[in-house]
Each structure stands twice: as structure tokens, then as C-alpha cells.
């Protein structure tokens, strides 16, 4: 009799022990997930680019750098070459996640976005750089769309280009295209954080 009376009590104790064990197991799992999660990359700032993408600031020692060199070609267009340091272009389909030293470049002409690049070279058609002086800027972005930045400034560089409408394709060693008597064309590069064409449409 006493055994049957004690059975419900014993079952209740077993149930409580199982619930407690499950709770402990859940806590450990949460702890493991927290311990294994990667630390955030850089610091997200309130500042944004023209399209509202936030700056992701890094220490200067680990931040990427970019230089922009623009030279005229024989067809009247312009060849853009990006010189990057501590940076690799991510292939299409890369996960939207910020990884130090990885990402893509956005190319702007006079502040307007022309293309997104996943390689260091691009050809600008003459129609995008009409007669006059223009600013060609390359800015580096992480794969999640944030802007790599140092000291609150985006990692970018700008080349000032003067198009006359009849450019020549014989750049000097300094990266500045020489002028011709009838059709001058210059391309000087300045940096603010300083392959084949592969624009990214996304």
C-alpha cells in the first residue's frame, strides 16, 4: 500500500528533475552560442553615404586603402585602375557580412554612382565623362553594404579628370595623362584613405 501511495510523489520528483535538467541544458547551449559568436567588425557610425549606408570605422592600421588612376584610351573613353592595399574584392554571391579587408568598390562620377566593382579595373565610356573637368571617385564598401571608414571619413580616393573630347592613350609614368596641343586630357589622383573589368549590378 505504501509503495502505491508513494508512486505519484516519486513520479512528480522525476518530472521536476527532468525539467531542471532540460533548463540547465538550454542554458549551456545559449552560453556556447554566445561564446562562439564572432565579435563585431569595426564600429558602426551614425554617418552615412549619399544613399544612407552607414560608415563602419576601423583602426587605420587594419583599414583598407584605395588609390584611383584614370587614363584616356584611344576610343575617347577612360580606363580606371584601383590600387588597393589590405583589401580583396569579393566575388559575386558572397554573403552579406562584413569581413575586414573584403568587399567591393563603388565608382562615382561627379557624385553619381556609375557601377559597383568586384575587380580593380573598369572602362568608362566617353559619354559618362563629357567635355570639362570631372571627379571620379572609388569608395570601398564591406559586403554587407556598410562603408569602410577611418576617423569618420570613408575610405575612398578621387581622380580629377579634364576631358576635351579628343583624348589620347599615352599616360605618363606619374599616372597623369599628358596634354596634346589641340586636345588636352589630364587625370590627377588624390586619396582620402588611400584584372579585368567586373562591375556588379547588385
Amino acid at each position: 500500500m505504501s509503495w502505491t501511495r508513494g508512486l505519484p510523489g516519486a513520479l512528480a520528483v522525476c518530472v521536476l528533475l527532468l525539467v531542471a535538467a532540460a533548463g540547465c541544458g538550454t542554458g549551456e547551449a545559449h552560453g556556447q552560442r554566445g561564446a562562439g559568436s564572432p565579435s563585431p567588425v569595426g564600429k558602426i557610425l551614425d554617418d552615412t553615404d549619399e544613399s544612407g549606408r552607414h560608415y563602419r570605422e576601423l583602426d587605420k592600421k587594419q583599414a583598407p586603402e584605395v588609390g584611383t588612376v584614370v587614363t584616356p584610351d584611344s576610343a575617347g573613353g577612360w580606363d580606371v585602375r584601383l590600387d588597393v592595399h589590405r583589401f580583396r574584392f569579393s566575388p559575386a554571391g558572397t554573403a552579406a557580412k562584413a569581413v575586414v579587408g573584403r568587399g567591393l568598390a563603388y565608382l562615382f562620377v561627379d557624385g553619381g554612382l556609375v557601377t559597383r566593382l568586384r575587380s580593380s579595373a573598369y572602362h568608362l565610356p566617353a559619354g559618362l565623362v563629357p567635355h570639362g573637368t570631372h571627379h571620379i571617385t572609388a569608395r570601398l564598401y564591406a559586403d554587407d553594404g556598410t562603408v569602410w571608414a577611418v576617423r569618420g571619413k570613408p575610405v575612398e580616393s578621387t581622380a580629377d579628370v579634364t576631358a576635351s573630347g579628343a583624348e589620347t592613350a599615352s599616360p605618363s609614368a606619374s599616372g597623369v595623362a599628358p596634354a596634346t596641343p589641340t586636345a588636352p586630357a589630364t587625370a590627377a589622383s588624390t586619396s582620402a584613405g588611400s584584372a579585368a573589368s567586373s562591375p556588379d549590378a547588385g
Side-chain angles (χ1 to χ4, degrees), residues 93-107:
T94 300
K97 176 183 175 183
V99 176
V100 175
R102 298 297 299 266
L104 60 161
Y106 285 27
L107 190 67

Side-chain angles (χ1 to χ4, degrees), residues 2-198:
S2 61
W3 180 83
T4 54
R5 286 180 187 165
L7 184 59
L11 288 174
V13 170
C14 288
V15 169
L16 288 175
L17 288 175
L18 288 172
V19 169
C24 291
T26 303
E28 287 173 9
H30 283 306
Q32 288 172 355
R33 278 199 294 270
S37 62
S39 59
V41 175
K43 177 184 177 183
I44 301 294
L45 305 180
D46 290 333
D47 295 327
T48 65
D49 69 358
E50 302 87 343
S51 62
R53 296 174 184 269
H54 284 274
Y55 291 0
R56 182 182 293 274
E57 185 163 74
L58 292 175
D59 181 84
K60 185 173 177 63
K61 291 181 179 179
Q62 66 175 163
E65 296 178 354
V66 61
T68 305
V69 178
V70 183
T71 54
D73 69 11
S74 59
W78 299 83
D79 291 323
V80 180
R81 189 182 79 248
L82 305 184
D83 292 327
V84 296
H85 301 279
R86 294 190 296 274
F87 186 80
R88 286 191 300 161
F89 290 95
S90 298
T94 300
K97 176 183 175 183
V99 176
V100 175
R102 298 297 299 266
L104 60 161
Y106 285 27
L107 190 67
F108 302 86
V109 174
D110 297 331
L113 178 62
V114 172
T115 190
R116 297 174 180 87
L117 294 175
R118 295 190 179 274
S119 69
S120 60
Y122 184 72
H123 180 263
L124 277 172
L128 292 177
V129 188
H131 182 79
T133 299
H134 303 275
H135 309 293
I136 299 174
T137 301
R139 183 182 300 153
L140 301 184
Y141 287 73
D143 289 309
D144 67 349
T146 53
V147 186
W148 291 120
V150 175
R151 295 176 184 168
K153 302 291 184 183
V155 176
E156 64 180 27
S157 69
T158 298
D160 295 330
V161 172
T162 300
S164 67
E167 278 64 49
T168 177
S170 53
S172 67
S174 65
V176 178
T180 60
T182 57
T186 60
S189 176
T190 58
S191 176
S194 227
S197 172
S198 177

